[in-house]
Amino acid sequence: MTPIQLSTLIKQHALELGFNACGIAQADYLDTEARRLEEWLNQDRHGSMQWMERNFEKRVDPRQLLPGTKSVISVLSSYFHPDHITQIGQSHTPQIAKYAQGRDYHKVLKKKLGALLDFIQEVTGHVQGRCFVDSAPVLDKAWAVKAGLGWIGKNSNLLNKQLGSYFFLGEVLIDVPLVYDTIETDHCGACTQCLDACPTDAIYEPYRVDASRCISYLTIEHKGEIDQKYHTDIQNWVFGCDVCQDVCPWNKHAQLARFTDFHPREKVVHWMEHSRDHLSDEDFNRLFEGAAVRRATYEGFQRNLDIVHQNLFS
């Protein structure tokens, strides 16, 4: 089987599995991204995410993760749902980022990527490969760009003409050469809507984000008390933040999530629309069973909810 035949089969099967898009890049050292990451870390833009400082070489060279890697297969999977449209601009109820209103994406996508790798092994006879879904030091947005799946927007998110940015990313590394896709050009133009809308000015200049100021970081990754100066800016975001995505013109093209596990859970939407009460530990675990929200922990979620209630109801 020729590289072009195998590449075509891989992309076709990725779509058959339910992914919205698939692209392929040649595995290599990410020289430009390495310099940018080093600068970002040296400026302490990563806040308390010390894990970003570890495994630097693995982050910028996938061959350190799987020796002999020749190709990086990237996939996009939409999590958008029509119910999300009614949530945009809601300011009077607690809000959870859209991606976290369904089932935790890690398990869903890892299983699907495993099926894609199994397919590759079946049609090739033998191939070494590994699957990744935000679970290892992989610069997934950089590889998606190199695979022709979009460009990095001014809010540092990956943007895609057909999907916007409401999607998850995943990768399969394999040790066989394939046909590689062409890099997409930047289509942000003169637009600055994401910079203008960011509540905490975390997007301090185009294409540059200070994670330590980002509401998603503050409500998920940050441990301990949140600095009082951010309380009002957090507004009603109890887990994550979608502001820079909601204002992005490219998200007018968002496509429906093909995996129903990513659709908003009715009980979560109901809680956002009607809750003014604190949750017990038991209620929290029941409400967000199998959801990414549990990453914040019960204590962290309650911390966030205290701030949101103060903003909304005091």
Side-chain angles (χ1 to χ4, degrees):
M1 184 178 298
T2 66
I4 191 170
Q5 290 174 324
L6 180 56
S7 301
T8 300
L9 284 176
I10 289 171
K11 292 180 179 180
Q12 289 177 343
H13 196 67
L15 297 180
E16 291 169 1
L17 286 170
F19 295 112
N20 293 84
C22 177
I24 306 171
Q26 183 175 6
D28 204 348
Y29 185 83
L30 297 172
D31 185 64
T32 300
E33 291 77 4
R35 292 196 301 271
R36 290 176 179 173
L37 177 58
E38 186 173 29
E39 176 189 19
W40 188 73
L41 292 170
N42 288 338
Q43 293 175 351
D44 290 327
R45 303 288 188 183
H46 58 307
S48 61
M49 295 184 290
Q50 295 178 343
W51 48 269
M52 288 292 298
E53 303 172 17
R54 299 192 290 269
N55 299 308
F56 185 90
E57 290 302 315
K58 290 182 178 180
R59 291 186 189 281
V60 297
D61 190 345
R63 297 167 299 186
Q64 299 290 323
L65 290 165
L66 178 68
T69 295
K70 299 287 194 305
S71 304
V72 180
I73 302 163
S74 292
V75 297
L76 305 183
S77 180
S78 171
Y79 57 79
F80 184 74
H81 189 274
D83 286 353
H84 291 152
I85 296 175
T86 62
Q87 298 169 12
I88 293 176
Q90 292 284 353
S91 59
H92 60 282
T93 59
Q95 287 293 299
I96 291 170
K98 297 173 184 59
Y99 83 88
Q101 294 177 23
R103 189 181 177 202
D104 191 333
Y105 62 95
H106 294 87
K107 294 180 180 179
V108 178
L109 293 190
K110 195 69 175 289
K111 182 177 180 180
K112 291 292 183 178
L113 285 174
L116 181 59
L117 178 56
D118 289 342
F119 170 79
I120 297 170
Q121 291 172 331
E122 287 174 9
V123 298
T124 59
H126 178 73
V127 62
Q128 293 294 322
R130 289 187 66 182
C131 305
F132 298 97
V133 183
D134 196 24
S135 56
V138 177
L139 295 181
D140 50 6
K141 291 185 289 186
W143 287 113
V145 169
K146 289 186 176 297
L149 295 180
W151 70 98
I152 300 299
K154 293 180 182 178
N155 59 1
S156 84
N157 286 327
L158 181 73
L159 300 180
N160 177 282
K161 279 186 174 182
Q162 286 73 45
L163 297 169
S165 64
Y166 297 129
F167 50 71
F168 300 118
L169 295 85
E171 300 79 39
V172 179
L173 309 185
I174 60 173
D175 63 350
V176 296
L178 297 170
V179 175
Y180 306 118
D181 290 290
T182 303
I183 293 178
E184 177 68 272
T185 55
D186 188 317
H187 296 284
C188 285
C191 179
T192 60
Q193 290 193 51
C194 58
L195 284 84
D196 300 337
C198 181
T200 60
D201 294 322
I203 312 173
Y204 60 95
E205 62 182 56
Y207 310 102
R208 302 285 185 175
V209 174
D210 187 339
S212 68
R213 298 175 59 88
C214 178
I215 292 175
S216 288
Y217 163 81
L218 293 169
T219 58
I220 302 173
E221 302 292 346
H222 180 69
K223 309 305 179 187
E225 294 301 313
I226 296 175
D227 195 312
Q228 182 73 36
K229 67 182 179 181
Y230 294 121
H231 283 203
T232 301
D233 292 332
I234 285 174
Q235 302 172 357
N236 60 331
W237 292 102
V238 72
F239 182 92
C241 178
D242 285 324
V243 171
C244 68
Q245 297 192 88
D246 288 346
V247 300
C248 178
W250 287 103
N251 274 320
K252 296 176 182 178
H253 305 286
Q255 295 182 14
L256 176 69
R258 298 179 69 185
F259 298 137
T260 57
D261 278 332
F262 297 151
H263 293 182
R265 291 178 171 178
E266 184 177 345
K267 61 183 179 180
V268 173
V269 175
H270 183 273
W271 179 84
M272 289 193 297
E273 293 175 344
H274 301 286
S275 176
R276 291 189 58 165
D277 300 324
H278 286 285
L279 292 170
S280 67
D281 195 343
E282 182 180 351
D283 289 339
F284 172 80
N285 289 326
R286 181 168 54 247
L287 180 62
F288 298 115
E289 180 182 4
V293 175
R294 296 185 67 174
R295 284 182 55 205
T297 74
Y298 172 68
E299 292 75 18
F301 190 83
Q302 285 299 117
R303 173 203 62 191
N304 302 340
L305 193 56
D306 285 341
I307 295 171
V308 168
H309 279 179
Q310 182 71 21
N311 290 339
L312 293 180
F313 308 130
S314 62

